[in-house]
Amino acid sequence: MDANYMPFHPSPRKPAYAPPPGAVDAHCHVFGPGDVFPYAPERKYTPCDAPKEKLFALRDFLGFERNVIVQATCHGKDNRALVDALKASNGLARGVASVGPSVSDAELHDMHEAGVRGVRFNFVKRLVDATPKEVYLGIADRIAPLGWHIVVYFEAPDLEGLIPFLRQLPTTIVVDHMGRPDIAKGVDHPDFQRFVDLMADNPNVWSKVSCPERLSVDGPATNYADVVPFARRLVDRFTDRVLWGTDWPHPNMTTHMPDDGALVDVIPHIATDAAKQKALLVDNPMRLYWS
Ligand code: 0GY
């Protein structure tokens, strides 16, 4: 693990908020263990191991029933740790993989059998070297017939330039962490409005209303209150196209390591009644990943 890498919280508290039956943590990762599933040579960070057993124990502790495990960049396009976790989950986990243009149909088929239902395109420059858009469009055409969707990760300043590309994608698109808005600018700033407009104009665009710990300026002392208006706006307006996830084990946090129980306690502030909570935590992820 990198010298400055912050490990996940060793003993999160039990959340006060109880998720509804069947709740899905729709954004989390498994890392290694590195001696079984080595980290990718091209990685930009080396995390602490965060194996499937720890993830599944956290799932149960927090009151969730299912996980969507997203391939993280430290494993590159080697999806073995992800597939291993999916196969060990008794059908309680689905996956989002990272693949290159040389992936074979047989590999895609095997990943589908294991529970993969999407691919991730990453545009965050500190995490990956750039991939040409044509390569991503080629992958999109390969995975669309499987009924898979595409998860995209980018930062707010890059959204405007990405919109023409996003409009070309043939599948459902899920944006990580609300497109990483600059919280200090406020929820009514044109930058966040651009993201709201993207969702309004494109019914195939979904958002994860996740990662207050990465986006917050105020931090954990207020339980990330400054991020709540952003997430709530998306949940209120696009109730059937939002997902929630812990982002465990929280790679590359620098300010603090969140308590996962505290993150769960943000949920009733962003999804303010039982119907919205059920949509966010159960109905939407089940429709996208288990139907
Ligand atoms: C996240 C966020 C980060 C990392 C990755 O794939 C990754 O390495 O997604 C980050 O550093 O912002 O969603 O886990």
Side-chain angles (χ1 to χ4, degrees), residues 139-268:
I139 293 169
D141 284 340
R142 300 275 311 284
I143 59 96
L146 294 165
W148 291 12
H149 62 274
I150 296 166
V151 171
V152 289
Y153 191 22
F154 56 82
E155 300 188 303
D158 296 323
L159 171 57
E160 192 170 11
L162 279 172
I163 286 177
F165 167 75
L166 297 176
R167 286 191 196 278
Q168 284 180 272
L169 295 177
T171 67
T172 293
I173 299 167
V174 181
V175 179
D176 279 340
H177 318 331
M178 304 187 282
R180 293 199 61 130
D182 182 344
I183 296 299
K185 289 180 173 170
V187 70
D188 292 318
H189 190 276
D191 285 359
F192 190 60
Q193 191 56 45
R194 183 181 290 120
F195 184 67
V196 173
D197 290 346
L198 176 78
M199 291 192 71
D201 296 345
N202 299 278
N204 64 323
V205 177
W206 294 39
S207 178
K208 292 179 197 161
V209 288
S210 45
C211 273
E213 73 283 7
R214 282 185 200 285
L215 304 173
S216 179
V217 178
D218 295 345
T222 62
N223 217 12
Y224 314 112
D226 54 348
V227 184
V228 164
F230 291 77
R232 191 188 292 176
R233 182 157 297 182
L234 299 183
V235 172
D236 284 348
R237 181 139 178 214
F238 308 108
T239 310
D240 60 352
R241 288 190 266 147
V242 284
L243 300 170
W244 185 90
T246 54
D247 196 33
W248 187 89
H250 313 287
N252 305 314
M253 286 298 292
T254 52
T255 51
H256 68 290
M257 182 50 56
D259 178 322
D260 297 277
L263 291 177
V264 172
D265 280 335
V266 178
I267 293 172

Side-chain angles (χ1 to χ4, degrees), residues 27 29 31 45 70-74 120 122 124 126-127 153 155 176-177 180 211 214 247-248 250-253:
H27 186 93
H29 310 287
F31 293 161
Y45 65 93
V70 177
Q71 174 77 353
T73 56
C74 56
R120 192 182 198 204
N122 201 319
V124 178
R126 73 184 156 79
L127 291 172
Y153 191 22
E155 300 188 303
D176 279 340
H177 318 331
R180 293 199 61 130
C211 273
R214 282 185 200 285
D247 196 33
W248 187 89
H250 313 287
N252 305 314
M253 286 298 292

